[in-house]
Amino acid sequence: MLCQLTLFHKPLKLIKIYNSLLPLKKVLITCGLSFSPLRHIQDPASQRLTWNKPPKSVLVIKKIQDASLLQPFKELCVFLTEKNMIVYVERKVLADPVIQADESFAAVIQKFCTFREDLDDISNRVDFIICLGGDGTLLYASSLFQKSVPPVMSFHLGSLGFLTPFNFDTYQSQVTQIIEGNAAIILRSRLRVVKESREKNARVDKKGIIMTKGDSEGSRKAMQYQVLNEVVVDRGPFSYLSNVDLFLDGHLITTVQGDGVIVSTPTGSTAYAVAAGASMIHPNVPAIMITPICPHSLSFRPIVVPAGVELKIMLSRDSRNTAWVSFDGRKRQEICHGDNITITTSCFPVPSICFQDPVNDWFESLAQCLHWNVRKKQNYLSSKEDVF
């Protein structure tokens, strides 16, 4: 599906933004714009999504094991099929006994296209995504697409809802507006994370004992992830401090001694990072945040680095124990000596559809979800004498 992303109030030329999504810098070049300081700074509210062709397919993602979402899920799916949309649903969602037992919904299920996580590639089949749940549902939707991501519309049916601006009470008019096009959109940057592990060659002796050879004979295994919120390296179940080296563009900048370190996107700055003392950054700011977790140093403060740098995390040679890493809270695994984690800004952001625009939506979430700067107002002084 071809769609049109408007930046600086200038439309692009039929760019396939989520089947082969271009980095923001390349998008600007395609627009015939440059990064000259004489140019007008981009207005986040100017980012618009319009369809060059009407969308025909939609992926509906529902939070698993939440009975309260079954009725909204059914209503939305019936509405989409009546709009002649091709609806994609995860196979495990339809395996819910309550859905299987609903005879009135059986005819709608027959029209669904199903897929399985990590097994079926639907990146070229879906025009946009609708999420029913909380922020974790959006993170899960992001993990399904390791390259280009279709535009995502998120309904607030979870706990916090910082990233889910839409209210389900008026879903019909809101979905119709998205299908018809001309919606505000925000490109949420992701992190491209490559974890390289050293695998040792091993053999089993007659007694069943595993015998390993030297590290020099080991091979390396690389796994790649696309992360929307953050990469967290922590000390895991061990009582000792986490002791990891942090490199920036090949230079050792510091050694983290504490419970761990968070490397987050601007979107992730309002998640684990803010709980660890980091600043909140608007998603349109091109940056990567580095936030220590309970550092054993009074001077180790969170920092913000440019989005174009390459970060590398490794266990220090004198580390007393291994560490653990997770990606958006999932796929948790151990980091051993000789392993390394490379982090860069991904070329494939998540296009999130806004309720109003990127600025108003963000401040609304800060106020409603995090109660930002909420305090009792100071009383007004009625006369000068009241000062004393």
Side-chain angles (χ1 to χ4, degrees), residues 61-311:
I61 298 179
K62 183 187 79 68
K63 184 179 179 181
I64 303 297
Q65 298 177 345
D66 191 337
S68 65
L69 297 184
L70 291 176
Q71 189 58 36
F73 171 74
K74 294 177 184 178
E75 292 180 12
L76 176 63
C77 291
V78 170
F79 173 75
L80 292 172
T81 53
E82 290 176 350
K83 287 276 190 180
N84 296 320
M85 299 288 294
I86 301 173
V87 180
Y88 283 83
V89 179
E90 280 188 282
R91 189 169 297 179
K92 62 183 179 183
V93 172
L94 299 182
D96 192 308
V98 179
I99 294 179
Q100 293 290 332
D102 191 343
E103 296 181 358
S104 62
F105 196 58
V108 180
I109 293 178
Q110 297 298 323
K111 301 178 183 180
F112 289 163
C113 296
T114 60
F115 72 99
R116 296 162 297 175
E117 181 189 3
D118 296 331
L119 294 177
D120 301 321
D121 182 12
I122 59 171
S123 57
N124 293 323
R125 307 178 194 174
V126 176
D127 291 330
F128 70 102
I129 303 171
I130 297 179
C131 292
L132 303 178
D135 295 344
T137 308
L138 176 60
L139 295 177
Y140 175 69
S142 169
S143 70
L144 295 176
F145 298 86
Q146 291 302 298
K147 290 187 177 180
S148 300
V149 186
V152 184
M153 182 182 192
S154 300
F155 284 97
H156 178 27
L157 292 169
S159 301
L160 186 62
F162 194 92
L163 306 178
T164 55
F166 290 93
N167 193 316
F168 194 77
D169 294 339
T170 55
Y171 76 93
Q172 293 185 348
S173 60
Q174 292 170 343
V175 173
T176 300
Q177 182 178 356
I178 300 306
I179 294 175
E180 293 175 352
N182 193 26
I185 198 167
I186 181 170
L187 296 177
R188 298 185 179 275
S189 64
R190 293 196 290 178
L191 299 175
R192 177 181 178 268
V193 186
V194 178
K195 180 180 181 292
E196 289 187 327
S197 305
R198 176 174 295 179
E199 291 186 326
K200 297 179 180 180
N201 295 324
R203 63 182 179 84
V204 181
D205 67 5
K206 296 180 179 180
K207 297 182 180 180
I209 300 176
I210 298 176
M211 307 295 292
T212 60
K213 298 181 180 180
D215 286 350
S216 60
E217 299 183 19
S219 59
R220 301 195 70 83
K221 176 183 178 182
M223 297 293 293
Q224 181 175 310
Y225 306 92
Q226 295 284 336
V227 175
L228 178 57
N229 259 4
E230 73 273 304
V231 180
V232 178
V233 177
D234 59 73
R235 59 188 175 93
F238 304 105
S239 59
Y240 294 114
L241 292 175
S242 172
N243 200 333
V244 295
D245 294 333
L246 181 62
F247 297 83
L248 191 149
D249 288 339
H251 302 284
L252 176 65
I253 58 173
T254 191
T255 297
V256 180
Q257 297 183 95
D259 281 355
V261 64
I262 305 167
V263 179
S264 61
T265 64
T267 294
S269 69
T270 51
Y272 193 177
V274 74
S279 296
M280 296 178 289
I281 300 180
H282 190 276
N284 274 114
V285 178
I288 298 176
M289 299 190 64
I290 302 172
T291 307
I293 306 172
C294 298
H296 200 245
S297 168
L298 296 178
S299 59
F300 195 172
R301 309 307 303 160
I303 61 173
V304 179
V305 297
V309 303
E310 179 186 86
L311 298 174

Side-chain angles (χ1 to χ4, degrees), residues 7 176 377:
L7 297 174
T176 300
K377 287 190 176 181

Side-chain angles (χ1 to χ4, degrees), residues 302-328:
I303 61 173
V304 179
V305 297
V309 303
E310 179 186 86
L311 298 174
K312 182 171 288 189
I313 299 175
M314 299 179 63
L315 270 182
S316 298
R317 288 192 175 185
D318 54 354
S319 177
R320 295 184 179 183
N321 47 254
T322 61
W324 288 76
V325 62
S326 61
F327 312 94
D328 280 341

